[in-house]
Amino acid sequence: MEKGLARDFARQNGWIGIAAILLATACFVLIFIPFSPSMPRLDQDASWPLALNAAVERGLVFGRDVVFTGGPLAAVYTQQFSPGTGGEMWAVAFFFATISALALIAIVPRRSRAWLLFVPFLAPLPGMRDAFFLGIPWLLVLTARHVRTHGTRGIKFLTYALVAACALLPLIKGSASPPAFFCVIIAARILIDKQRIHIWLVPTVFLTTLGLGWISSGQPLTALGSYLCSQMEIIEGYGDAMSVSGSVVEVMLLAFAGILLSLCVHWPVRSRRWSVSFATVVTLFVAFKAGAIRHDGHIALAADMIILVSIYVVAGTGPRPLKWLATASLCMAMIVLSHYTDISPRGLFVKVANAIDKSLSGLSRVWDESDHLNKDFKRAGDFVRNELPLVDAGKSVDLYNSEIAAVILGQGVWKPRPVFQSYSAYSPALIERNVNHLRKTPPDRIYWRIQTIDDRYPSLDDGASWPWLFGTYRPIAHIGDYLQLDRIGEPTRLSNGAAILERVVALGKPVALPRGDPLWARIVIRPTLVGKLWGALYKLPPLMLSFRYADGHMQSFRVVAGMMETGFLLSPTVGSTRELEVLWTKGAENMPSSRLPIEMQLSVSDWTGSLFPIHYSLFLARLPIPKAAIPRRSLDPVEPDPGSVASGGQCAFESEPEAGIRIIGGSLVLPSEMAFVSLKGWAAADVSAGALGDATFLLLRGAGGMNKLVRARATSRMDVAKVFGRPSLINAGFDATFSLDEMARPIRVTVVKSVAGVLRECSGQVVTVY
C-alpha cells in the first residue's frame, strides 16, 4: 500500500516536482536556520545585534529600557549567537523555515512545482533574508486563499501556523509590524467566507502567539503596548533620517516593475479575490520603500521581493500574456540586482554552495563538539576586550556612539540609554528618551567617541544630550579613540545663555555666526503637506548645512530635521574625539580656524519647490563649557625589536593626531613638548583576497638603530570593505597611540601585518615624525 501511495504521489507531482520539493525544503532549512551564526565584533553593525541579545539576557524591557528596530526575538533575523538566546533563535528560525517551505509547496500548482528548483538559488541573494521575513504575511494571504478553494485540514493548519509566524514578526523586526497586522486582517476576511468561526479564531491565535512570544522572551505583558508604540516612533522618522541617494534609473526600473506586477496579480482576479492583489500591492510597496530609502545594498530587498512575486505569477495558472509581463518585471529586478552582486549562473551556484557548505560545517561542528559556539563566543569577546581594553569593575557604563560591544562584553555593568546607538535617535521623541536617561538614571562612566554616518554634522548625534554630558561628567582618560568620562555628581545640564539670535531665515540665505564661546542652536523646519505625502510614498531630499570657516574653506554636512529641533552644538565643528578633547580642556579659542564657522547656510535640493517651506526658524545662544583637566593617555603596548620583517600587504595612514595637525606629504611636524602621537588608518594582508591578517602593528625606526613595534587596535572600516567589495575587511581599520619619550626624532613609522606568525611590512606608506 505504501508503494501505491508513493506511485500516486509521483504521478501527481512528477519526479521533477518531487525533487524540487525536497531540494527547496532542504535549502530553506539549511540556509535560513543559522547553523553557523555570526559572533560579536567591535563595529557598528555587529554591536546592535549583540545589544539586543544582551538586553534579553539581562532582563531589560523593550520599548522602555531599549528602543530599537529589533525586538526580543531579533536574533532570528540578525543570526548572531549569544549563549542566552541561541536556543530560542534556532527554534523560531526552524519554525519559520519549515512553515514557509510547506506553504510554498502548498500554493504552487502541482504542474508548476519545478519552479521550486529556483528557490535554492534565490535564498543566498543579498537582501533575501529581509524579503523572506517581509514575505511571510503575503504568503499567509496566498495560503488563506488556498483554503478557500481547497479547504483541506492540512492547509487550514498551515494557515494558522502562518498566522502565528506573523504574530512573532513584530518581536523579530519592528518594521514588519504594519504588513503583519494588515495581512492577518486580510486573511481573516478571506477565511470568514469559508466558515464564520474564523472571524474570532484568527485574531485569537495572532494575539495569543504575540503575547506568549513576548512573555517567553522575559518581557512583562504590560510593556507590550509600549513596545509597539515605540516601533511606530522609529518607523515614523526613519525615512527622513536614514535615506541614502542612489541611481534614479534603478528606482524607476523597480517602480515600473512593481506597478506591472500589481496589474498582473490584479487583472485576472475577480472581485472575490481582491485580497490577494491588495496584499501584493502592500507587500511590494513596503519592500520598495524599505529598499529605496537607504539606496545602497538595501535596494536589493525591493528587487528580491519583485523576483519572488514574479515567480509566483509565472508559476501560476493565469493567462500567458500576464506571465510574459511578470517575466519582464523579473528581468528588470535582476538588472538592478546585478549592480550589487554576481547573478550569473556560476555566481548563483557558488553562493548556494557556499551557504550550504557553511551550514553543513556548522552542523558538523555541533556533532563533533556541542559546546563550540560558546567557545567561539568567548573567543570573540576576548578579541573585543583586547582591541578596546576597558576597566570598569563594579561601575555602570555606557558608550557613545555606536560600538557598544566594548562595554557589553567588558567588566562593567552595561547601563544603556534607550536608543543605544546615537545615530538612531533621529526624532524629538527618541532624542528625549535618551536625555531623560541622563537626567534620571545616568551611568557612573561613559566612553565617548565622535562618530557618525552618512556625512552628518557630527554633533547632531545625541546632540541634546551634550549639555548633560558636559555638566555631569569630566574626562579622565583617553583610551584609543574614546574619552573616558566619570560622573562627578548629580545629573546637571549646562545652561545656555540668553538668545543672541532668534528669527525666521530663508532657505539658502547665508547667516553670519558670532565668534567667542561655543554656539548652541535649534533649527526648526518641517516638510509641507506635499512633502509629507511625498515622504510617505518615497523619501524626502536631504537637508544640507554648509559652513564657511575662519580659514576660508567651505564644507557641507547632511542634517536631520528632527535632530536639529531639539538643539545641538553648532560651533565649533567637533569632527573627532581629539577635537572634542581640545574644546573641553583648552576652550573654543584654541580650536583651529578650520573648525570655527563664521557663516552658515541651510539648503535642500527640493526639485519640486514645494516639499519644504521656504523659511525655517533659527535660535542661537552661547553655551559656555567649563574647562576640564587634560585626561591621561592610555598608550598601546610596545613590543621589542622584531628583527627582520618581510614586505607585503596594503595600507593607508589617515590621521589627525591632534586638532589642527595633519599628515602632509608623509610628514608629521609636532610641537617639541608633545609627548605622544596617535596614528590611524587601514591595513590588510591581501586586499584582493579579502585577507585581513592576524594583527596590526606600527614599526618605529629612529636614530641609533631604534626599532619598536606598537600593537595597534582594530577599528571598524565599513567604507574600506565597501570600496574593495570585501565584507571580510570590515575590521581593517587600526588606531595606535604611543609615547615619544626617550625617542630621538625623526621617527620613521610604517605599518606591519602579522600573517600566520610572519611580519609583513607595508613599505608603500611611510610617515616621518619630526
Side-chain angles (χ1 to χ4, degrees):
M1 184 173 177
E2 291 179 358
K3 292 181 179 179
L5 289 173
R7 281 196 300 269
D8 290 341
F9 181 76
R11 191 180 302 114
Q12 291 176 2
N13 292 275
W15 293 110
I16 294 179
I18 294 172
I21 289 172
L22 295 176
L23 187 60
T25 304
C27 286
F28 255 85
V29 171
L30 286 175
I31 294 175
F32 286 112
I33 298 178
F35 293 114
S36 293
S38 63
M39 293 292 166
R41 302 187 309 269
L42 188 61
D43 62 68
Q44 176 179 293
D45 282 350
S47 286
W48 67 262
L50 174 65
L52 295 176
N53 285 337
V56 174
E57 294 172 350
R58 304 181 190 195
L60 300 181
V61 177
F62 283 73
R64 186 191 69 193
D65 303 326
V66 170
V67 178
F68 206 71
T69 54
L73 296 180
V76 181
Y77 169 76
T78 65
Q79 297 190 345
Q80 187 181 103
F81 176 78
S82 187
T85 60
E88 196 172 53
M89 172 183 69
W90 285 311
V92 178
F94 180 80
F95 171 69
F96 270 81
T98 53
I99 290 300
S100 301
L102 292 173
L104 278 177
I105 294 168
I107 65 173
V108 174
R110 286 194 178 112
R111 65 179 182 81
S112 300
R113 282 179 178 163
W115 282 95
L116 293 174
L117 289 171
F118 286 96
V119 170
F121 296 96
L122 298 178
L125 289 175
M128 189 55 74
R129 196 188 312 166
D130 294 84
F132 168 68
F133 285 105
L134 184 60
I136 293 289
W138 176 66
L139 198 57
L140 165 64
V141 173
L142 298 180
T143 310
R145 180 63 199 173
H146 209 66
V147 170
R148 187 169 172 176
T149 55
H150 294 76
T152 63
R153 288 185 178 179
I155 297 296
K156 287 180 181 178
F157 175 80
L158 193 58
T159 303
Y160 275 95
L162 285 168
V163 171
C166 287
L168 296 178
L169 277 178
L171 308 185
I172 296 172
K173 204 170 189 297
S175 57
S177 301
F181 283 107
F182 185 81
C183 287
V184 165
I185 294 172
I186 293 179
R189 177 64 185 85
I190 295 172
L191 295 173
I192 288 172
D193 291 344
K194 186 73 176 177
Q195 204 170 359
R196 300 292 296 179
I197 192 175
H198 297 296
I199 195 171
W200 63 266
L201 196 54
V202 169
T204 298
V205 170
F206 180 84
L207 294 175
T208 301
T209 307
L210 178 62
L212 290 175
W214 179 257
I215 294 171
S216 66
S217 301
Q219 301 295 304
L221 189 58
T222 53
L224 180 56
S226 299
Y227 167 72
L228 296 175
C229 290
S230 71
Q231 292 304 309
M232 299 312 298
E233 291 178 14
I234 292 172
I235 294 171
E236 183 182 4
Y238 182 85
D240 182 28
M242 303 298 289
S243 64
V244 173
S245 299
S247 168
V248 176
V249 174
E250 291 179 357
V251 173
M252 293 178 66
L253 278 174
L254 292 177
F256 184 68
I259 293 171
L260 207 60
L261 264 187
S262 300
L263 293 175
C264 289
V265 173
H266 178 75
W267 191 262
V269 170
R270 304 289 193 274
S271 59
R272 293 175 61 188
R273 290 186 60 191
W274 61 270
S275 50
V276 174
S277 57
F278 203 13
T280 303
V281 169
V282 170
T283 301
L284 289 175
F285 172 72
V286 172
F288 170 78
K289 189 166 171 59
I293 284 178
R294 198 151 183 84
H295 193 149
D296 44 20
H298 292 75
I299 197 69
L301 163 60
D304 290 338
M305 188 55 66
I306 287 174
I307 291 171
L308 293 177
V309 178
S310 298
I311 291 177
Y312 164 73
V313 174
V314 173
T317 57
R320 181 165 295 180
L322 296 184
K323 295 178 183 288
W324 285 112
L325 291 177
T327 303
S329 297
L330 187 149
C331 292
M332 285 185 272
M334 294 294 279
I335 290 172
V336 173
L337 201 59
S338 68
H339 297 163
Y340 300 91
T341 189
D342 181 7
I343 59 170
S344 66
R346 181 181 181 279
L348 292 176
F349 180 81
V350 169
K351 286 181 176 63
V352 174
N354 289 340
I356 294 176
D357 179 67
K358 181 180 177 182
S359 292
L360 291 176
S361 297
L363 281 172
S364 175
R365 290 191 68 192
V366 171
W367 182 268
D368 295 336
E369 184 183 5
S370 60
D371 197 40
H372 80 277
L373 287 175
N374 288 326
K375 293 179 179 178
D376 287 350
F377 184 86
K378 183 181 182 302
R379 279 192 291 268
D382 291 340
F383 179 82
V384 169
R385 286 185 287 272
N386 289 334
E387 293 307 311
L388 188 59
L390 308 178
V391 181
D392 307 302
K395 293 183 178 292
S396 58
V397 295
D398 194 10
L399 182 144
Y400 288 63
N401 199 286
S402 300
E403 296 171 349
I404 50 179
V407 293
I408 296 174
L409 297 173
Q411 299 177 8
V413 179
W414 181 47
K415 191 176 184 181
R417 58 204 183 280
V419 188
F420 51 77
Q421 287 189 317
S422 297
Y423 71 87
S424 292
Y426 42 63
S427 71
L430 296 174
I431 293 169
E432 191 59 31
R433 286 177 181 267
N434 284 358
V435 170
N436 284 334
H437 170 71
L438 287 177
R439 180 188 294 124
K440 297 176 181 178
T441 56
D444 299 326
R445 178 170 291 171
I446 284 176
Y447 293 93
W448 193 3
R449 177 188 180 191
I450 303 301
Q451 174 191 25
T452 190
I453 63 171
D454 302 337
D455 297 320
R456 288 184 189 171
Y457 196 58
S459 57
L460 280 179
D461 286 359
D462 264 320
S465 294
W466 283 39
W468 289 93
L469 293 171
F470 284 131
T472 308
Y473 296 87
R474 290 293 179 269
I476 303 301
H478 200 134
I479 303 174
D481 200 28
Y482 286 88
L483 276 182
Q484 175 189 315
L485 312 182
D486 280 5
R487 185 152 63 94
I488 58 174
E490 292 301 313
T492 304
R493 183 192 188 279
L494 287 187
S495 298
N496 51 266
I500 57 176
L501 189 149
E502 190 171 8
R503 61 189 174 93
V504 174
V505 183
L507 274 176
K509 181 180 179 180
V511 177
L513 299 176
R515 303 196 187 193
D517 286 333
L519 293 178
W520 182 255
R522 285 198 304 272
I523 297 176
V524 179
I525 180 169
R526 295 169 183 167
T528 61
L529 178 59
V530 174
K532 290 178 180 178
L533 291 174
W534 181 251
L537 291 173
Y538 181 46
K539 62 182 176 185
L540 291 169
L543 290 163
M544 301 301 296
L545 188 60
S546 303
F547 293 102
R548 183 162 62 88
Y549 289 91
D551 67 347
H553 89 280
M554 300 284 294
Q555 191 171 359
S556 296
F557 299 89
R558 165 83 181 274
V559 289
V560 179
M563 301 172 90
M564 295 191 295
E565 194 169 319
T566 55
F568 64 103
L569 182 70
L570 180 72
S571 175
T573 298
V574 179
S576 69
T577 308
R578 295 178 181 93
E579 290 174 353
L580 172 65
E581 181 183 333
V582 171
L583 172 63
W584 206 342
T585 60
K586 299 180 180 179
E589 64 275 13
N590 285 293
M591 294 287 286
S593 58
S594 61
R595 302 283 85 187
L596 298 174
I598 59 175
E599 186 179 271
M600 60 160 278
Q601 177 180 310
L602 185 66
S603 59
V604 59
S605 56
D606 184 349
W607 52 269
T608 66
S610 58
L611 301 184
F612 285 95
I614 60 174
H615 294 89
Y616 64 92
S617 298
L618 173 63
F619 170 88
L620 291 179
R622 302 285 186 188
L623 184 68
I625 300 174
K627 291 183 181 179
I630 296 176
R632 66 179 183 274
R633 286 279 167 173
S634 176
L635 302 178
D636 292 303
V638 178
E639 301 189 5
D641 184 349
S644 61
V645 294
S647 61
Q650 297 87 40
C651 62
F653 282 108
E654 300 161 352
S655 181
E656 294 181 13
E658 186 67 34
I661 301 176
R662 300 173 183 269
I663 297 174
I664 301 174
S667 298
L668 273 176
V669 181
L670 303 179
S672 59
E673 69 274 9
M674 193 165 184
F676 63 89
V677 64
S678 293
L679 293 171
K680 63 181 179 180
W682 65 266
D686 188 345
V687 167
S688 60
L692 197 57
D694 302 324
T696 305
F697 301 88
L698 296 185
L699 176 58
L700 313 181
R701 292 189 177 98
M706 180 204 75
N707 285 330
K708 292 185 178 181
L709 274 182
V710 178
R711 180 178 286 270
R713 284 164 286 100
T715 61
S716 174
R717 290 300 299 266
M718 295 176 63
D719 56 331
V720 174
K722 184 176 180 180
V723 166
F724 292 105
R726 297 291 182 181
S728 57
L729 298 180
I730 191 170
N731 286 325
F734 68 81
D735 192 321
T737 301
F738 55 91
S739 172
L740 294 173
D741 291 339
E742 301 179 0
M743 289 190 187
R745 308 182 196 183
I747 302 169
R748 187 173 181 270
V749 185
T750 56
V751 179
V752 172
K753 293 293 298 187
S754 172
V755 183
V758 177
L759 296 179
R760 298 180 181 177
E761 181 181 9
C762 176
S763 56
Q765 286 281 320
V766 181
V767 169
T768 305
V769 181
Y770 292 97

